[in-house]
Amino acid sequence: MQRHIPAFAAALAILAACQSTGGLFGKQQSPFAPDLDSSSEDSVDGLIVGHRLMAAGEYELALKAYHRAASERGATVDVYSAIGSANLHLGRLGQAETNLRNAIDIDETFVPAWNNLGVVLMEKGEVSEASQVFQTAFALDSGRTDAIRENLRRALAIRDNPDYADSQEEEFSLVRRGGGVYLLLTVK
């Protein structure tokens, strides 16, 4: 007596084979979102995502993207500086200061970290140290960035005349490096 495989069993065997080999067309298609596999060639850099979220005012989400970048890239100067800037926007001044100082420890010539540390120190009311930090940023930048020059000018004016701060409603500017270009963000 000859045994016949039912048609549905054959279909299941073919489907199982397709699943294990990546599908009929060589690439597995799924109706579900892809896994959070950061090694995927399709994944987007966490720093880029974070910068876009910062520009959109989504600081908490940006911070999460920066932490993802840290897990992918490691603790780089760009990552520490970005995390510090996000923490500053979230009002977490102590964390922002720590992150920005860590960035400077990695690269003492990283201008955005110096400038943003100055902004944190101004927010904390540490005007004298902020003035020194802005001077360092200005010197490293060779005076090319208007925002850094303006931050230094304001910090020196406040340091030399404390009443100046009461009469001015101006805000200090953050800078970040992205593709070799400084992008200005204002602190709110």
Side-chain angles (χ1 to χ4, degrees), residues 37-110:
D37 181 13
S38 62
S39 64
S40 169
E41 61 203 39
D42 296 334
S43 70
V44 179
D45 182 9
L47 277 177
I48 293 171
V49 171
H51 294 335
R52 289 177 182 162
L53 289 166
M54 287 285 286
E58 296 291 339
Y59 308 122
E60 194 68 50
L61 292 174
L63 185 60
K64 289 180 182 181
Y66 292 146
H67 282 132
R68 189 184 96 209
S71 70
E72 294 169 354
R73 296 174 169 233
T76 66
V77 67
D78 286 313
V79 169
Y80 269 128
S81 184
I83 290 172
S85 297
N87 278 320
L88 173 59
H89 277 286
L90 291 167
R92 300 171 186 161
L93 300 180
Q95 291 176 14
E97 182 178 357
T98 299
N99 293 130
L100 293 166
R101 288 189 189 278
N102 287 339
I104 291 168
D105 286 344
I106 293 171
D107 182 357
E108 293 179 352
T109 64
F110 192 67

Side-chain angles (χ1 to χ4, degrees), residues 147-167:
I148 295 172
R149 185 180 319 114
E150 187 62 20
N151 287 347
L152 175 59
R153 183 194 66 75
R154 289 181 195 155
L156 291 173
I158 293 169
R159 183 194 69 188
D160 296 340
N161 181 9
D163 293 331
Y164 177 84
D166 297 333
S167 66

